[in-house]
Amino acid sequence: MKITIIGAGNMARSIATRALAGGHTVTITAKDPGKAVRLVDELREQAHGAGQVGAADESAVDQADIVVLAVPFDAARQLAASYGPRLGGKVLIDISNPVDASLDALVVPHGTSAAEQIAEAAGPQVRVVKAFNTTFATTLVSGQVGGTPLDVFVAGDDQAARKEVADLVTSGGLNPVDVGALKHARQLEGFQLLHMALQIREGGHGWASTIKIVAP
């Protein structure tokens, strides 16, 4: 698949790493073009998998099969509104966690989620999927914690879009968990708030843990 990642931070790096490991074509675009180029250079040096990676301007979203908003919630909502008319039929992945600075509360009203607000901003023609919000950049690069592949929870109203994202996750060596409709992003964002808070408390996990469902 052709994956365009908007953003050039730590999560962009880690998602690109998994996508390249899966053999996909990855394009990085960012507000700071120089930062996107530097990230691409780093990814090429790492040489993960058979995928290809490059940097481009915002026109990269037009050729993509999947567009990943690897930016904070407020920026993601603005970008969804801006790019929405150009993303008809495409899959748009929201990875954001709408948390306050103290990691004490969500900043979206009860009964909604960042993903649902982003879907509203993008418009009904865009297939929005929530994914990767429960994985930290530090663990996503390696794809595992303690030798166990990460779970990536996937929510979206379009079943085919969820399947595309699940295929991307699987190809990168991770385990997709399809949780159903986009409204379940509310729960994904809620338990990731707790997961994030656990990292910074005394004796916390230092951004090295993951959320995993273990079943017989």
Side-chain angles (χ1 to χ4, degrees):
M1 291 183 284
K2 295 179 180 178
I3 315 296
T4 292
I5 300 175
I6 302 176
N10 289 334
M11 282 298 291
R13 174 185 288 103
S14 59
I15 292 171
T17 298
R18 291 294 99 217
L20 291 170
H24 304 286
T25 298
V26 177
T27 303
I28 308 292
T29 184
K31 183 169 60 175
D32 180 348
K35 192 173 181 180
V37 170
R38 288 191 294 274
L39 175 55
V40 166
D41 289 342
E42 292 173 14
L43 291 166
R44 285 174 175 165
E45 288 178 5
Q46 294 169 8
H48 288 284
Q52 301 294 316
V53 63
D57 61 22
E58 63 175 18
S59 65
V61 303
D62 299 320
Q63 284 75 48
D65 300 308
I66 295 177
V67 176
V68 182
L69 295 174
V71 295
F73 167 51
D74 285 339
R77 182 167 50 185
Q78 294 172 13
L79 287 168
S82 175
Y83 288 126
R86 297 163 57 181
L87 300 178
K90 297 182 186 296
V91 175
L92 181 66
I93 298 179
D94 163 43
I95 72 166
S96 68
N97 285 295
V99 300
D100 65 10
S102 64
L103 302 184
D104 189 52
L106 298 174
V107 298
V108 293
H110 179 73
T112 187
S113 64
E116 289 167 287
Q117 292 194 12
I118 286 167
E120 183 178 1
Q125 76 282 4
V126 183
R127 300 186 294 160
V128 174
V129 174
K130 188 78 177 187
F132 296 105
N133 78 295
T134 61
T135 55
F136 296 133
T138 47
T139 59
L140 196 52
V141 166
S142 64
Q144 54 84 30
V145 171
T148 301
L150 303 182
D151 280 356
V152 176
F153 298 88
V154 179
D157 290 336
D158 186 295
Q159 184 176 4
R162 297 199 308 271
K163 177 64 165 56
E164 287 183 51
V165 175
D167 289 345
L168 170 63
V169 169
T170 301
S171 69
L174 311 177
N175 180 51
V177 180
D178 186 336
V179 302
L182 193 63
K183 67 181 181 181
H184 294 306
R186 303 171 195 177
Q187 288 78 46
L188 298 183
E189 294 169 8
F191 68 54
Q192 182 64 0
L193 169 65
L194 175 61
H195 188 208
M196 293 170 75
L198 290 174
Q199 308 307 307
I200 60 173
R201 71 177 187 178
E202 185 177 355
H205 302 145
W207 309 101
S209 63
T210 191
I211 297 172
K212 181 77 179 178
I213 292 180
V214 179

